[in-house]
Amino acid sequence: MISSRAALDKFMRSSTVRATTSRFNNVVVRTKSTPVQGVQVEHGRGVWKTYGDLSNYKQGKYQIKTFNKISPIGLARFPEEDYDVRSGEAANAHAILLRSHKLQEEDVPKTVRAIARCGAGTNNIPVARMTELGIPVFNTPGANANAVKELVLCGMLLGSRKIVDGVNHMKELGAQGLARERVEKDKATFGGQEIMGKTLAIIGLGHIGSMTARDAQALGMTVKGYDPGLTVQSALTLPKDLELVDSITAAVAGADYISINIPYIKGEGGTHGIIGKEVISHFSPNAVLLNFARGELVDSAAMKEFLDGGDGRYVSDFPDDLLWDHQNAIILPHLGASTEEAEDAAASMAADTIRTYLETGEIKNSVNFPDTSLDERPDTNVRFTVVNKNVPGALAKITEAFASEGLNILQQINHSRGEIAYNVLDIDTTKHEGVLEFKNVQEKITMVDGVISTRVIYGQPGQGYAKNIDGEYFI
Ligand SMILES: NC(=O)c1ccc[n+]([C@@H]2O[C@H](COP(=O)([O-])OP(=O)(O)OC[C@H]3O[C@@H](n4cnc5c(N)ncnc54)[C@H](O)[C@@H]3O)[C@@H](O)[C@H]2O)c1
Ligand SMILES: O=C(O)[C@H](O)COP(=O)(O)O
């Protein structure tokens, strides 16, 4: 009998398993017995396609795969004794951390339990497909908002004064040795306006939009805003004089500056080209559009027509094939979140979120899974998490599986979001022999109709994950 967490872990570490191969429902059942340190939970149905590559797999550590340059301060949140963090390759990765890398399904090994975007926008991740695969995608709300807000304010000044043109002119004059001679005469070409007393319209009053509203008001601007999904949290931080309007056109009409701060969402009901011909037709002729959200939100052809026909400006943080050299456009290389502070904060939040999910099963800041707060797991418990399609009957069959193995559920949580349901079940281990019983119940759960994956959390990194992908079972 295993009566304590330490004893259970010891049992799990010392258990030796024999290699066998048999057939079940025409699926090869392969069990492993490599005599390595740590637990071999031997309940595979099918084979991990990537599992054969053990060369870079350290037993007993979580494998984290990174794309893009992630702040070392953030990565340091993964303790070395439990985590192995690699960039680009980690065949058996448990989790992925990335910034703007356009993630393809092929980048996501079947072993991956979670993905975290060190940043706000998750449009570079195939979130819908990850949901189908039972993988929660996380982001870091607000972690880089101050950096973006500061660049929006900078963009407003770049749009109100001909700073970029002036800098370029001084370079040209300098190269010709004419700067001192010409500067006072030529500066008349680069005059501008002040932002104090002007109107700023903000579309999207989330983390960035609400911060921008506060600071713009402090600079003496009149601020109005539009956000049909305004949260209480954001609403509480808005300046009290902000005028809330009920449409984008009402926001942009009469505004001198327009800042768009909303997510890019493809498809019907999404935000692709939301700043298009119709909305632009309500712009003042000299309006300055600030786009520090995503390039795809703006219809470039319609914006070109606007810029060609008046004295308006476009300041954008994203590449634009049509407007990159337009005289009234200033295009920056996606610098919004590129400050030390924002990179550290976003990476740290992402790392903490992944750790919490891997180590406890708790879900916070996911864009596709339900928030799930959990009490601490007592030493005497083993925690199961189950991801399943949100269909009737699945929950009953999952609990039945535990009953049929004589396992007592101490605590059970079932949350759902759209098509996905997430269950956490804490099981009393005091009266049980341990790993083999978990193997049996995990097999049963994984075969319940609609179950996508299950995980056993008992303090050993990276063990006890089972997945049902397109009818094939993997461990
Ligand atoms: N340039 C950069 O480096 C950079 C950095 C961070 C974020 N971003 C972009 O900015 C976006 C906003 O970031 P955030 O941190 O403020 O996110 P957020 O989630 O805190 O706020 C987004 C707000 O937009 C609102 N919204 C959604 N659709 C809308 C619509 N059609 N009309 C009006 N409002 C709408 C939401 O209700 C929410 O309040 C991100 O999705 C990302 O694409 C860019
Ligand atoms: O959505 C975001 O957070 C930003 O676009 C930042 O992207 P980056 O991390 O690649 O700079």
Side-chain angles (χ1 to χ4, degrees), residues 375-396:
D375 289 340
E376 210 171 303
R377 175 177 63 89
D379 275 357
T380 47
N381 295 2
V382 160
R383 176 167 288 169
F384 277 72
T385 66
V386 183
V387 176
N388 61 283
K389 291 181 190 151
N390 191 12
V391 290
L395 186 55

Side-chain angles (χ1 to χ4, degrees), residues 99-100 117-121 144 294 334 337:
R99 289 179 62 179
S100 287
R117 163 50 155 128
C118 308
N144 58 22
R294 285 294 178 265
H334 194 189

Side-chain angles (χ1 to χ4, degrees), residues 113-133:
R113 285 87 156 138
I115 296 172
R117 163 50 155 128
C118 308
T122 50
N123 57 304
N124 55 318
I125 298 169
V127 176
R129 180 61 183 148
M130 292 306 112
T131 310
E132 281 172 7
L133 294 173

Side-chain angles (χ1 to χ4, degrees), residues 148-447:
V148 184
K149 172 213 70 182
E150 289 187 5
L151 208 59
V152 172
L153 297 176
C154 167
M156 219 159 21
L157 297 170
L158 293 176
S160 65
R161 315 278 284 262
K162 292 190 176 151
I163 299 164
V164 175
D165 293 341
V167 169
N168 289 337
H169 186 66
M170 287 304 280
K171 283 193 174 150
E172 279 168 28
L173 291 183
Q176 298 166 48
L178 294 173
R180 282 179 195 285
E181 183 188 330
R182 294 267 297 275
V183 64
E184 295 307 331
K185 184 163 166 275
D186 290 4
K187 75 180 183 190
T189 326
F190 304 111
Q193 286 92 37
E194 295 178 22
I195 57 173
M196 188 166 73
K198 303 294 188 309
T199 298
L200 168 66
I202 302 180
I203 300 160
L205 294 163
H207 289 90
I208 298 168
S210 59
M211 276 187 169
T212 306
R214 281 199 304 278
D215 286 9
Q217 199 190 44
L219 290 168
M221 302 185 83
T222 300
V223 187
K224 55 180 173 166
Y226 169 66
D227 188 334
L230 185 65
T231 62
V232 174
Q233 194 193 11
S234 289
L236 288 173
T237 66
L238 291 175
K240 67 176 175 12
D241 294 337
L242 180 136
E243 182 195 356
L244 273 177
V245 296
D246 60 5
S247 68
I248 294 189
T249 48
V252 302
D256 303 294
Y257 298 86
I258 298 154
S259 180
I260 181 151
N261 301 104
I262 67 174
Y264 174 62
I265 300 164
K266 265 192 199 161
E268 215 182 310
T271 53
H272 184 91
I274 195 164
I275 305 297
K277 210 172 169 56
E278 217 295 294
V279 170
I280 292 173
S281 72
H282 295 267
F283 280 15
S284 301
N286 57 355
V288 178
L289 176 65
L290 308 155
N291 179 7
F292 287 82
R294 285 294 178 265
E296 296 89 338
L297 295 166
V298 174
D299 177 340
S300 300
M303 197 59 205
K304 182 172 183 318
E305 213 175 297
F306 170 73
L307 295 179
D308 286 345
D311 196 27
R313 298 266 183 283
Y314 182 45
V315 186
S316 169
D317 205 15
F318 303 95
D320 192 307
D321 294 339
L322 207 54
L323 298 171
W324 62 275
D325 65 344
H326 195 287
Q327 61 171 357
N328 287 350
I330 295 169
I331 309 291
L332 302 174
H334 194 189
L335 290 180
S338 292
T339 64
E340 276 174 32
E341 295 88 340
E343 290 177 0
D344 292 349
S348 300
M349 195 191 278
D352 290 350
T353 305
I354 287 291
R355 276 196 67 186
T356 302
Y357 180 68
L358 290 179
E359 293 172 23
T360 73
E362 186 161 299
I363 297 182
K364 198 174 169 209
N365 296 330
S366 173
V367 298
N368 61 341
F369 270 52
D371 268 1
T372 307
S373 305
L374 300 170
D375 289 340
E376 210 171 303
R377 175 177 63 89
D379 275 357
T380 47
N381 295 2
V382 160
R383 176 167 288 169
F384 277 72
T385 66
V386 183
V387 176
N388 61 283
K389 291 181 190 151
N390 191 12
V391 290
L395 186 55
K397 287 189 191 135
I398 291 165
T399 45
E400 244 172 64
F402 285 99
S404 71
E405 289 296 320
L407 294 169
N408 185 26
I409 299 173
L410 294 174
Q411 170 179 244
Q412 176 172 3
I413 286 170
N414 171 260
H415 287 176
S416 62
R417 179 167 177 180
E419 291 168 5
I420 212 82
Y422 183 64
N423 301 278
V424 182
L425 305 103
D426 284 353
I427 304 297
D428 183 359
T429 55
T430 49
K431 295 197 179 72
H432 297 282
E433 290 300 322
V435 71
L436 294 181
E437 280 165 281
F438 305 145
K439 150 190 142 25
N440 292 340
V441 76
Q442 199 177 31
E443 278 189 12
K444 282 187 182 165
I445 296 166
T446 312
M447 281 180 273

